[in-house]
Amino acid sequence: MKTNPGRFFEDYRMGEVIAHAVPRTISGGERAIYHALYPARGALHSSDAFAQACGLKASPMDDLITFHTVFGKTVPDISLNAVANLGYAEGRWLEPVWPGDTLTATSEVIGLKENSSGTTGVVWVRTTGRNQHGVPVLTYVRWVMVKKRGTAPTGAATAPVLSPVVAPLDLVVPPGLDFTRHDFTLSGEPHRWGDHAPGEVIDHVDGVTIEEAEHMLATRLWQNTAKVHFDTTQRPDGKRLIYGGHVISLARALSFNGLANAHLIVALNGGAHVNPCFAGDTVRAWSEVLERAETSSPGVGALRLRLVATRGAPGVLRDASGKYEASVLLDLDYWALIPL
Amino acid sequence: MKTNPGRFFEDYRMGEVIAHAVPRTISGGERAIYHALYPARGALHSSDAFAQACGLKASPMDDLITFHTVFGKTVPDISLNAVANLGYAEGRWLEPVWPGDTLTATSEVIGLKENSSGTTGVVWVRTTGRNQHGVPVLTYVRWVMVKKRGTAPTGAATAPVLSPVVAPLDLVVPPGLDFTRHDFTLSGEPHRWGDHAPGEVIDHVDGVTIEEAEHMLATRLWQNTAKVHFDTTQRPDGKRLIYGGHVISLARALSFNGLANAHLIVALNGGAHVNPCFAGDTVRAWSEVLERAETSSPGVGALRLRLVATRGAPGVLRDASGKYEASVLLDLDYWALIPL
Amino acid sequence: MKTNPGRFFEDYRMGEVIAHAVPRTISGGERAIYHALYPARGALHSSDAFAQACGLKASPMDDLITFHTVFGKTVPDISLNAVANLGYAEGRWLEPVWPGDTLTATSEVIGLKENSSGTTGVVWVRTTGRNQHGVPVLTYVRWVMVKKRGTAPTGAATAPVLSPVVAPLDLVVPPGLDFTRHDFTLSGEPHRWGDHAPGEVIDHVDGVTIEEAEHMLATRLWQNTAKVHFDTTQRPDGKRLIYGGHVISLARALSFNGLANAHLIVALNGGAHVNPCFAGDTVRAWSEVLERAETSSPGVGALRLRLVATRGAPGVLRDASGKYEASVLLDLDYWALIPL
């Protein structure tokens, strides 16, 4: 058998480090496709000149290009037999990715816990993406429910202790970033760090109806091979499940309208793909400001944001019993950098 | 309210200069996507080697990439609350855009005229796109019908006087362009300037059936955010209106078959998006030679062309009463450069 | 008549060399789009760093990007009036194509044979693609059935003698390629040349359901203008016929799962587009190892592979009478390079 059957729960060992395959060089082509796939308008990721005026050598790759590329590498080893993608934590962007960089990824198994059903288990991995110099560019924890190969109990019962939020002191600001002369006209909105207060909710207004071709182009671009995204014969209803990362990027791009100056994602505190998304859905987004923090870089503040993607009109997040509403697709908690 | 509600008619002042947001670096990735979106085959925009043989340093960006990018920047300030895109005039390409250039745009309000209904007005703007050196690369006048915020009469009644045609002496030929050794085998057709006479009509033969994913990829690539292009809930019929520029590019690319040597667009004399275009439409095109002019550059002539895009088979342009036929999508009047 | 009516059978002369139009510069943008269109994961075409570790200066363009680009140039002269694309032979990749290279193509007519019907004939051409230095990068023979313009017999009865297989000694290994330190973890699979034996069959497992937008983006990217791929009015059933090369690339990309180390295509021995492919089809692939050969390059072996694309589940290739099954889309015979 030469093809990859994927790993089952029994195939993981605590502390094991898995080196993922297929290094990937990311360049201006990937950046252009990102702009064609999502209504991304953040000035720092759109313009070399703007990025240079903010102290960077050029416009770095969108932070989510880094995330999707690293995530895509992990799929054949982590989630080919996954039943569900359960969560993210402790995500941190550590170094910008520049056009021409080559990314690789490794994952360390940091938790294994068999479910009471005896047919599945939860695998926690800490994934690290590195550039061609071996420098870490991104790290995050992800946990997935994976099928067991057999019925024999494994005894695995180790769940890691994870931080609910990345601490402000652990946020890494790209070296050189300086927002003291930030151009609010070119960026598109006047709102700065101090204009946002915890509790503020911003409805991002715009909506995008998704097509099959778009989400498949996106998912292939990240070399994510999970069958359910491409093959209509994988589900009884003949639908292709849209890669959760497509919804993340779409919602983040929509959030430009109201959060144009929240330029860089520097941490992923948590996230849940609450309901599946399919072609034909019209996706909208809203954000809630959760927390503010300062950084030691000139003019650079941090906002902790909840980003919620919905199918159809935005409504309440959860029902009276605390369950997510059916219209909610994504609930993401992240830190972004914004001019003071 | 942090999101952009768009401007209403009352929000414009005569002479005001609006600096549009989100500078954009355009590179080889955007060029490649353009070739994937449109059947573009012009040799000068396809090949560095061909462009170098014509005296340029490399293959410049397609002139319509420049147009769409600049146009896209203006949407949030000019046409977010527009009822109709009424026309273009006095468009001139002033300098080639090269891979790696960053474009910004400004618009000066040159006309404001309230409509007799009292609920809308017409806004004329002269938009200028500039590269990272501040050098103008494109200028054009566009006018749109915009909703009024209120009912109080504004008294605005200023319509600018616009040239119906850019004069041949005002056409800007890219510095260095030399068609004296133009390779007609590589360009695909033998026809030169002298082979075209005013009154000649060319049916470009080919047709392309449009898909939703394609026009949305295109429109997003230019960071054009008008809701009607993306969101099926914006119209009672659930259709997404295709960005008029998508039809311009499609028709221009189709016109290669018969006008392969009309390499560069240097002026936009006028244009009307006559009827809306939707996914599923099969777009065809025909051209009429309107006028010929010489230039002072070696081997370089100019043709003034009417480019008409139709849904389905090409027929007459207007009915007996002078009204455009329902099958007509676009009527564009432009100057192109072609070897003598 | 300024548009290209295409050539008819009577328009070809034995020995004639046709220079095809529209040179094309291929760069990182085209590479990125290729990765968005196909689930391509071969490490050598994905990563500069990986390619450099294999002795190359950078990641070369995917071999099929070269093939499609050269093929696309030939369409207006060879297959615009073609009734059928009958076969390929003697295909050899002669030099890698690097980002920034400009490709042109010529075709020599090497066979002309009128069919007994008197309404069509078969045209054989040997096509050569060259880079901007005039260095051949690809050569292959292709034959097509072309309509006759008239009914007068032409007497043409020359079919060339073609090799059924490119001999191993004629395979060109890219200069510098060295697989002695090949990283099997990064490439994604442990299987080397010696792990494959003639007769082995690999089911590549994954499937991809095709969308209209995708195959049109691909076909336009190669500047292939055949009407049937774009225009729903060309066939009575209103379907767009998918460019055969789209199926080749899709099947080749799917074959990564089981043949991840078969990095470079160096020869095309033969191939048949057995049945038409349409949007909505879910394409799968399987490969058969036909032959093994050594090369004189360090650590580099060659595998001769049959690549079969099917619609729906893979089954038998031919029925009892020797006819291809209706589910078979493609039967391709090629040589690939793989670490020893």
Side-chain angles (χ1 to χ4, degrees):
Chain A
M1 174 90 151
K2 294 235 167 46
T3 52
N4 177 21
R7 286 170 172 239
F8 291 86
F9 184 70
E10 295 91 331
D11 300 328
Y12 297 93
R13 296 285 165 265
M14 278 296 292
E16 175 187 16
V17 176
I18 302 169
H20 303 298
V22 191
R24 176 68 178 277
T25 304
I26 296 291
S27 195
E30 282 76 9
R31 182 164 91 157
I33 298 176
Y34 196 84
H35 278 99
L37 287 167
Y38 307 108
R41 287 187 286 153
L44 199 70
H45 292 116
S46 176
S47 163
D48 283 339
F50 189 93
Q52 286 156 1
C54 294
L56 303 181
K57 67 177 180 184
S59 176
M61 288 291 149
D62 194 287
D63 317 301
L64 292 173
I65 292 181
T66 306
F67 178 76
H68 297 316
T69 303
V70 170
F71 184 100
K73 310 261 132 279
T74 71
V75 168
D77 298 313
I78 305 299
S79 44
L80 213 60
N81 296 317
V83 181
N85 196 32
L86 297 173
Y88 306 105
E90 300 186 2
R92 293 192 304 144
W93 278 256
L94 303 170
E95 181 86 11
V97 173
W98 308 103
D101 278 1
T102 298
L103 301 188
T104 54
T106 58
S107 294
E108 182 185 358
V109 179
I110 61 166
L112 287 173
K113 187 174 167 202
E114 188 166 326
N115 286 327
S116 55
S117 71
T119 61
T120 57
V122 179
V123 179
W124 284 260
V125 290
R126 187 179 304 274
T127 295
T128 304
R130 288 181 176 80
N131 65 20
Q132 69 275 22
H133 309 299
V135 174
V137 296
L138 171 66
T139 180
Y140 64 92
V141 172
R142 174 187 173 214
W143 56 106
V144 291
M145 193 189 301
V146 177
K147 286 182 211 161
K148 280 179 66 187
R149 173 175 279 114
T151 52
T154 62
T158 310
V161 177
L162 297 169
S163 305
V165 181
V166 174
L169 281 174
D170 291 333
L171 302 179
V172 178
V173 180
L177 189 72
D178 179 344
F179 280 154
T180 51
R181 290 163 303 160
H182 183 273
D183 187 325
F184 292 85
T185 301
L186 285 182
S187 72
E189 292 179 356
H191 322 299
R192 11 176 116 236
W193 184 82
D195 297 324
H196 296 281
E200 178 187 17
V201 171
I202 303 170
D203 174 357
H204 300 300
V205 180
D206 305 304
V208 171
T209 309
I210 301 183
E211 293 295 308
E212 299 281 11
E214 293 168 351
H215 75 81
M216 292 199 294
L217 288 169
T219 309
R220 274 191 296 255
L221 189 60
W222 320 125
Q223 300 181 310
N224 179 330
T225 60
K227 292 182 182 65
V228 288
H229 307 316
F230 301 105
D231 179 350
T232 54
T233 67
Q234 292 293 309
R235 289 168 53 101
D237 62 7
K239 287 183 174 180
R240 279 162 277 186
L241 186 68
I242 291 177
Y243 163 49
H246 191 64
V247 179
I248 294 177
S249 275
L250 192 45
R252 163 74 174 157
L254 287 169
S255 79
F256 174 91
N257 196 354
L259 283 170
N261 295 324
H263 287 294
L264 293 152
I265 301 181
V266 285
L268 178 60
N269 300 308
H273 299 288
V274 176
N275 282 295
C277 181
F278 300 105
D281 286 350
T282 299
V283 174
R284 296 175 195 284
W286 56 269
S287 293
E288 179 183 356
V289 179
L290 298 175
E291 193 179 344
R292 293 195 309 191
E294 297 188 53
T295 81
S296 59
S297 297
V300 180
L303 283 188
R304 187 181 153 209
L305 297 158
R306 156 176 277 164
L307 174 61
V308 176
T310 61
R311 180 195 296 114
V316 293
L317 188 62
R318 299 171 186 274
D319 65 17
S321 72
K323 234 186 89 182
Y324 280 110
E325 290 286 350
S327 63
V328 177
L329 300 171
L330 172 76
D331 184 8
L332 203 76
D333 181 336
Y334 71 103
W335 282 104
L337 301 182
I338 182 168
L340 285 176
Chain B
M1 173 93 149
K2 294 233 168 50
T3 52
N4 177 21
R7 286 172 172 237
F8 291 87
F9 184 70
E10 295 91 333
D11 300 328
Y12 297 92
R13 296 287 166 263
M14 278 294 292
E16 175 187 16
V17 176
I18 303 169
H20 304 298
V22 191
R24 175 71 177 275
T25 304
I26 296 291
S27 196
E30 282 77 10
R31 181 162 93 158
I33 298 176
Y34 196 84
H35 277 99
L37 287 167
Y38 307 108
R41 285 187 286 152
L44 199 70
H45 291 118
S46 176
S47 162
D48 283 337
F50 189 92
Q52 286 156 0
C54 294
L56 303 181
K57 68 177 179 184
S59 177
M61 287 291 148
D62 194 287
D63 317 299
L64 292 173
I65 291 180
T66 306
F67 177 77
H68 296 317
T69 303
V70 171
F71 184 101
K73 310 261 133 279
T74 71
V75 168
D77 298 313
I78 307 299
S79 44
L80 213 60
N81 296 318
V83 181
N85 195 33
L86 297 173
Y88 307 103
E90 301 186 0
R92 294 192 303 145
W93 278 255
L94 303 170
E95 181 85 13
V97 174
W98 308 104
D101 279 0
T102 299
L103 301 186
T104 54
T106 57
S107 294
E108 182 186 357
V109 179
I110 61 166
L112 287 172
K113 191 176 163 199
E114 187 166 326
N115 286 327
S116 56
S117 70
T119 61
T120 57
V122 179
V123 179
W124 283 260
V125 291
R126 188 180 303 275
T127 295
T128 304
R130 287 182 176 80
N131 64 21
Q132 69 276 22
H133 310 298
V135 175
V137 297
L138 171 67
T139 180
Y140 64 91
V141 173
R142 171 188 175 213
W143 56 106
V144 292
M145 192 189 301
V146 176
K147 285 183 210 158
K148 279 179 66 188
R149 173 176 281 115
T151 52
T154 63
T158 309
V161 178
L162 297 169
S163 306
V165 180
V166 174
L169 281 174
D170 290 334
L171 302 178
V172 178
V173 180
L177 189 71
D178 180 345
F179 280 155
T180 52
R181 290 163 301 163
H182 183 272
D183 187 327
F184 291 86
T185 300
L186 284 183
S187 72
E189 290 180 357
H191 321 299
R192 8 176 117 238
W193 184 81
D195 297 325
H196 296 281
E200 178 187 16
V201 171
I202 303 170
D203 174 357
H204 299 300
V205 179
D206 305 305
V208 170
T209 308
I210 300 183
E211 294 293 309
E212 299 282 12
E214 293 168 350
H215 75 82
M216 292 199 295
L217 288 170
T219 309
R220 273 190 296 254
L221 188 61
W222 321 125
Q223 299 182 311
N224 178 330
T225 59
K227 293 182 181 64
V228 288
H229 306 316
F230 300 106
D231 180 349
T232 54
T233 68
Q234 292 293 309
R235 290 169 52 101
D237 62 8
K239 287 183 175 181
R240 279 162 276 187
L241 187 67
I242 290 176
Y243 163 49
H246 191 64
V247 178
I248 295 177
S249 275
L250 191 45
R252 163 75 174 157
L254 288 169
S255 79
F256 174 91
N257 196 355
L259 284 170
N261 295 325
H263 287 295
L264 292 152
I265 301 181
V266 285
L268 178 60
N269 300 307
H273 299 288
V274 177
N275 283 296
C277 181
F278 299 105
D281 286 350
T282 299
V283 175
R284 295 175 196 284
W286 57 268
S287 293
E288 180 184 355
V289 179
L290 298 176
E291 194 179 343
R292 292 195 307 194
E294 298 188 53
T295 81
S296 60
S297 297
V300 179
L303 283 187
R304 187 180 152 211
L305 297 158
R306 156 175 277 164
L307 173 61
V308 177
T310 62
R311 181 193 296 113
V316 294
L317 189 60
R318 297 171 188 274
D319 66 18
S321 71
K323 234 186 87 183
Y324 281 110
E325 290 285 352
S327 63
V328 176
L329 301 171
L330 173 76
D331 184 8
L332 203 77
D333 181 335
Y334 71 103
W335 282 104
L337 300 182
I338 182 168
L340 287 177
Chain C
M1 173 90 150
K2 294 236 167 45
T3 52
N4 176 22
R7 287 171 171 237
F8 292 87
F9 183 69
E10 295 91 332
D11 300 328
Y12 296 94
R13 297 287 165 263
M14 278 293 293
E16 176 187 17
V17 175
I18 302 168
H20 304 297
V22 191
R24 176 70 178 275
T25 303
I26 296 290
S27 197
E30 283 77 8
R31 181 162 92 158
I33 298 175
Y34 196 85
H35 277 100
L37 288 167
Y38 307 109
R41 286 186 286 152
L44 198 70
H45 291 117
S46 176
S47 163
D48 284 338
F50 189 93
Q52 286 156 359
C54 294
L56 303 181
K57 68 178 178 183
S59 177
M61 288 291 148
D62 193 288
D63 317 299
L64 291 174
I65 291 181
T66 306
F67 178 77
H68 296 316
T69 302
V70 170
F71 184 100
K73 311 261 132 275
T74 72
V75 167
D77 299 312
I78 306 299
S79 44
L80 213 59
N81 296 317
V83 182
N85 195 31
L86 297 173
Y88 307 104
E90 300 186 0
R92 293 192 304 145
W93 278 255
L94 303 170
E95 183 84 11
V97 174
W98 307 103
D101 280 0
T102 298
L103 301 187
T104 55
T106 57
S107 294
E108 182 186 356
V109 179
I110 61 167
L112 287 172
K113 191 175 164 200
E114 187 167 328
N115 286 329
S116 55
S117 70
T119 60
T120 57
V122 179
V123 179
W124 283 260
V125 292
R126 188 181 303 275
T127 295
T128 303
R130 287 182 176 78
N131 65 20
Q132 69 275 24
H133 309 299
V135 174
V137 297
L138 171 67
T139 180
Y140 65 91
V141 173
R142 171 188 175 213
W143 55 107
V144 291
M145 192 187 303
V146 177
K147 285 182 212 160
K148 280 179 66 187
R149 172 175 280 114
T151 53
T154 62
T158 309
V161 178
L162 297 169
S163 305
V165 181
V166 175
L169 281 174
D170 291 333
L171 302 178
V172 178
V173 179
L177 188 72
D178 180 343
F179 280 155
T180 51
R181 288 163 304 162
H182 183 273
D183 187 326
F184 291 85
T185 300
L186 284 182
S187 72
E189 291 179 356
H191 321 300
R192 13 177 115 235
W193 185 82
D195 297 324
H196 296 281
E200 178 187 15
V201 172
I202 303 170
D203 174 357
H204 300 300
V205 178
D206 304 307
V208 171
T209 308
I210 300 183
E211 293 295 307
E212 299 282 11
E214 293 167 350
H215 75 82
M216 293 200 293
L217 288 169
T219 309
R220 274 191 296 255
L221 188 61
W222 321 124
Q223 298 181 312
N224 178 332
T225 60
K227 292 181 182 65
V228 289
H229 306 317
F230 300 105
D231 179 349
T232 54
T233 68
Q234 292 292 309
R235 290 168 53 102
D237 62 7
K239 287 184 176 179
R240 279 162 277 187
L241 185 68
I242 291 177
Y243 163 48
H246 191 64
V247 178
I248 295 178
S249 275
L250 192 44
R252 164 74 174 155
L254 287 169
S255 79
F256 175 91
N257 196 354
L259 284 170
N261 295 324
H263 288 293
L264 293 151
I265 301 181
V266 286
L268 178 60
N269 300 306
H273 300 288
V274 176
N275 283 296
C277 180
F278 300 104
D281 286 349
T282 299
V283 175
R284 295 174 195 284
W286 56 268
S287 293
E288 180 184 355
V289 179
L290 298 176
E291 195 179 342
R292 294 194 308 192
E294 298 187 53
T295 80
S296 60
S297 296
V300 180
L303 283 188
R304 188 181 151 209
L305 297 159
R306 155 175 279 164
L307 174 61
V308 176
T310 61
R311 181 194 295 113
V316 292
L317 189 60
R318 298 171 187 273
D319 65 17
S321 72
K323 235 186 86 181
Y324 280 110
E325 290 286 352
S327 63
V328 177
L329 300 171
L330 172 78
D331 184 8
L332 202 77
D333 181 336
Y334 71 103
W335 282 105
L337 300 182
I338 182 169
L340 285 176

